[in-house]
Structure formats: structure tokens, C-alpha cells
Amino acid sequence: MKIVIGVLLFLLAHIVTWFQLNGQFLWEIFKKNPILISISGILTSYLFIKATQFTVKSFDGLLWPPRFIGFGVGIIVYAILVSYFFNEGISLKTFVSLLLSLALILIQLFWK
């Protein structure tokens, strides 16, 4: 159960981070208020800390598996949101990169 909570927290943290960084290209309010938007970094930091805490516990104190899981989740979130909000297609190179990210996550979750 800890791994599920950890992955969901990584997912939420990466979504919030994506909007924090890329909202400036979507909405004028984000572009005009970078300091205010930066304050949301407190929330994302907390989410990343808790995600790391849950996933490290689920891997008996190992630090590398959560790092790869967080990275893989971030790449997948980024690709989905860029595709949705900016209509950037998925090239073959990006598709292969997404598959590799998914492979990173699955290896960490299921290779004991």
C-alpha cells in the first residue's frame, strides 16, 4: 500500500510542478506572477518529500528505486500534459523514451 501512495504522490507532485513551470505559456496570470507561482513550490516540495518517504519505506530503505519511479512518472506526466495542452505530437524518439520510462517504473516495482 505504501508504494501505491508513494506513486500517487509522485504523480500529483509532477502534475503540480508541470503547471507551475509551464502555466506561463498557457495563462497570462502565471506569466505575470512568477513569485506567487513560485510559492506553490512549497506544496510540491512537501509532495515529493512524502512520496520519497513512502516509496523508500516500501523498498526497505533503498533510495534508488524511488528515484527511478519518480523520474519515470515525471516523464510520463510531462509527455501527456504537453501533448494535451500544446498539441505536441509524440515522435518515435519520444515514444521510445516513454517506453523506457515505463520500463524503469516496472523494473523497480516488479523485479525483486
Side-chain angles (χ1 to χ4, degrees):
M1 189 61 175
K2 289 177 188 164
I3 190 64
V4 173
I5 294 170
V7 170
L8 290 174
L9 288 171
F10 273 130
L11 181 67
L12 182 58
H14 279 293
I15 291 169
V16 172
T17 299
W18 190 90
F19 282 105
Q20 180 186 18
L21 299 176
N22 298 295
Q24 63 182 319
F25 306 115
L26 294 169
W27 304 292
E28 202 62 30
I29 192 167
F30 276 63
K31 184 185 261 185
K32 290 182 179 179
N33 298 289
I35 300 296
L36 184 61
I37 300 305
S38 302
I39 294 169
S40 69
I42 295 168
L43 170 64
T44 53
S45 293
Y46 181 76
L47 290 171
F48 280 120
I49 288 167
K50 296 308 281 185
T52 302
Q53 183 181 66
F54 276 100
T55 51
V56 166
K57 284 180 183 176
S58 70
F59 285 100
D60 298 321
L62 295 175
L63 296 173
W64 276 111
R67 178 64 191 115
F68 287 127
I69 291 170
F71 172 78
V73 169
I75 293 296
I76 292 167
V77 165
Y78 192 88
I80 291 168
L81 293 177
V82 165
S83 179
Y84 181 79
F85 283 100
F86 294 102
N87 295 317
E88 287 189 25
I90 305 277
S91 68
L92 180 59
K93 181 171 80 171
T94 302
F95 180 73
V96 170
S97 298
L98 289 170
L99 286 178
L100 290 171
S101 296
L102 182 60
L104 272 174
I105 294 168
L106 294 175
I107 287 168
Q108 297 306 314
L109 290 177
F110 298 111
W111 188 342
K112 300 294 177 189

